[in-house]
Amino acid sequence: MAKIAVLGCGFGTALAVMADGCGHQVTLWSLFPQELEEIRQDGEQKKLLPGVPVTERIALTSDISCLADCDLCIMAVPSFAVRQTAQRAAPYLREGAIVLNVAKGLEDKTYKRFSQVLEEELSQQKIVVMSGPSHAEEVGRGAPTTITVASRERAAAEEVQDLLMNPTLRLYVNDDVIGVELGGALKNVIALAAGIADGLQLGDNAKAALMTRGITEIARLGVAMGAKTETFAGLSGIGDLIVTCTSMHSRNRRAGILIGQGKSAEEAVRSVGTVEGYPCAKTAYELGQKLRVEMPIVEQSYAVLYEGKSPAQALRDLMTRPKRHESEVIWLLGR
Ligand SMILES: NC(=O)c1ccc[n+]([C@@H]2O[C@H](COP(=O)([O-])OP(=O)(O)OC[C@H]3O[C@@H](n4cnc5c(N)ncnc54)[C@H](O)[C@@H]3O)[C@@H](O)[C@H]2O)c1
């Protein structure tokens, strides 16, 4: 039995319930005492995980010193709060504890991956990242789920695998931290585009095209940043992209649908809540420009989300781009 602290009560609640089911001693932390009070009173996280009991075995606290003796700290806060939460946690984590980040995205302005952010803020801890097709609603009710864990220290990723793997949650270890993190961050942008396509009622062919060409451009940027191509064919790449582009659990897709139906990006994001593809579309667009990587879907998504371009015009521009070979190699050699 390990001592596990989970920071953040959205997806974090599902992970806490799952870790409790594995027999660990679990503490769930929130910055917001009111959120904990509601979970305590209702016996569940009503907003995100209705119907998933949060047992009294799971300690609820807003005191960050709960981290003092934990073996594993799971960071399950939204992207924008990762650095500040790490700074809050730093004085309490013991040397050598594992910190597992599940937030998906890139840091605004610095373009850093969250493992880089955590390595800066938590230099005495072992950093592991988790990514893959894993909607909280399904993890919480114990539906079969597979996820990838990656770390620069393979033993730390294997330790997470040992601690959290169970008959409903299968964890795979991967050494390509860059690829795993970029797949998780960038798929949200493609999910917004897929939602827009759904809102425009473009059909299944368009959705399949966005997913297939979307993973191609994610991989293109990923490889330019040091990732391995094959990682994007795995759970944290195409796996997560498929689930995010097709599921109504996906807030990115739901926001995209509203945009496709005529709402502005700001209105859509306001009504859905956490839509991490929205800030990430800007970051991914800027990274593509900086590294000179061609990313047509990201570029058009950026124009719709930030420059007021109509989704119909973005679609026309995507479909009428210059001719290409499907294989990058043939295209690049032919230029
Ligand atoms: N929801 C999912 O199914 C899912 C699955 C896999 C990964 N993730 C990733 O996990 C992260 C969290 O996702 P979520 O859906 O739980 O998000 P969320 O917006 O529902 O927020 C989760 C929790 O974070 C905490 N929080 C909010 N603002 C905070 C702040 N400023 N400082 C500290 N804590 C704060 C709160 O406890 C809140 O309940 C995201 O990066 C997301 O991409 C989510």
Side-chain angles (χ1 to χ4, degrees), residues 28-79:
L28 184 57
W29 172 90
S30 172
L31 183 62
F32 312 106
Q34 177 62 28
E35 180 174 51
L36 295 169
E37 197 42 49
E38 283 168 18
I39 296 176
R40 201 172 282 122
Q41 272 178 15
D42 299 335
E44 60 181 20
Q45 158 53 296
K46 268 210 165 120
K47 281 189 203 120
L48 187 64
L49 290 177
V52 176
V54 177
T55 149
E56 287 179 0
R57 278 191 307 275
I58 298 176
L60 304 176
T61 184
S62 54
D63 180 356
I64 194 82
S65 72
C66 69
L67 291 174
D69 56 353
C70 78
D71 306 300
L72 170 66
C73 163
I74 303 181
M75 282 262 184
V77 297
S79 301

Side-chain angles (χ1 to χ4, degrees), residues 178-213:
I178 302 177
V180 168
E181 288 190 286
L182 288 177
L186 298 171
K187 56 97 195 184
N188 285 332
V189 184
I190 306 300
L192 262 170
I196 294 174
D198 284 335
L200 292 169
Q201 298 189 315
L202 298 184
D204 297 337
N205 296 350
K207 177 77 76 68
L210 279 170
M211 287 195 267
T212 316
R213 296 308 302 167

Side-chain angles (χ1 to χ4, degrees), residues 97-323:
I98 296 178
V99 176
L100 172 66
N101 175 58
V102 305
K104 294 173 182 171
L106 292 166
E107 193 176 48
D108 192 28
K109 296 198 177 71
T110 68
Y111 308 119
K112 284 182 180 155
R113 292 173 285 104
F114 289 131
S115 67
Q116 295 175 300
V117 171
L118 294 181
E119 276 162 9
E120 283 174 10
E121 300 295 340
L122 306 171
S123 56
Q124 303 306 307
Q125 283 73 37
K126 299 175 195 163
I127 308 303
V128 181
V129 298
M130 177 189 265
S131 197
S134 52
H135 285 311
E137 295 82 346
E138 298 185 7
V139 173
R141 66 178 167 83
T145 300
T146 52
I147 322 185
T148 302
V149 283
S151 175
R152 294 209 298 178
E153 297 180 62
R154 186 188 289 184
E158 286 172 351
E159 211 172 320
V160 170
Q161 189 182 37
D162 285 342
L163 289 173
L164 299 181
M165 196 156 136
N166 65 67
T168 64
L169 182 74
R170 190 167 168 74
L171 298 180
Y172 288 85
V173 168
N174 192 318
D175 294 334
D176 180 12
V177 180
I178 302 177
V180 168
E181 288 190 286
L182 288 177
L186 298 171
K187 56 97 195 184
N188 285 332
V189 184
I190 306 300
L192 262 170
I196 294 174
D198 284 335
L200 292 169
Q201 298 189 315
L202 298 184
D204 297 337
N205 296 350
K207 177 77 76 68
L210 279 170
M211 287 195 267
T212 316
R213 296 308 302 167
I215 198 69
T216 305
E217 58 188 81
I218 290 176
R220 205 182 288 145
L221 181 67
V223 169
M225 293 175 73
K228 293 181 193 158
T229 312
E230 64 262 31
T231 304
F232 299 98
L235 291 169
S236 58
I238 192 71
D240 208 358
L241 188 69
I242 291 170
V243 85
T244 317
C245 289
T246 57
S247 169
M248 276 314 273
H249 291 315
S250 165
R251 286 173 281 197
N252 291 285
R253 176 170 174 247
R254 291 210 308 268
I257 291 173
L258 295 176
I259 296 167
Q261 289 170 343
K263 281 209 168 17
S264 72
E266 290 84 3
E267 282 175 305
V269 170
R270 218 177 302 123
S271 78
V272 172
T274 303
V275 180
E276 294 184 318
Y278 183 58
C280 196
K282 185 164 178 292
T283 314
Y285 170 76
E286 289 170 358
L287 265 174
Q289 299 287 308
K290 194 168 152 222
L291 300 174
R292 296 173 168 273
V293 175
E294 194 180 54
M295 304 187 77
I297 301 171
V298 168
E299 284 159 22
Q300 293 301 330
S301 303
Y302 174 81
V304 169
L305 297 172
Y306 288 96
E307 294 175 337
K309 186 170 188 173
S310 80
Q313 185 59 47
L315 171 68
R316 268 192 296 279
D317 289 349
L318 272 176
M319 292 302 286
T320 56
R321 295 172 60 241
K323 291 185 268 185

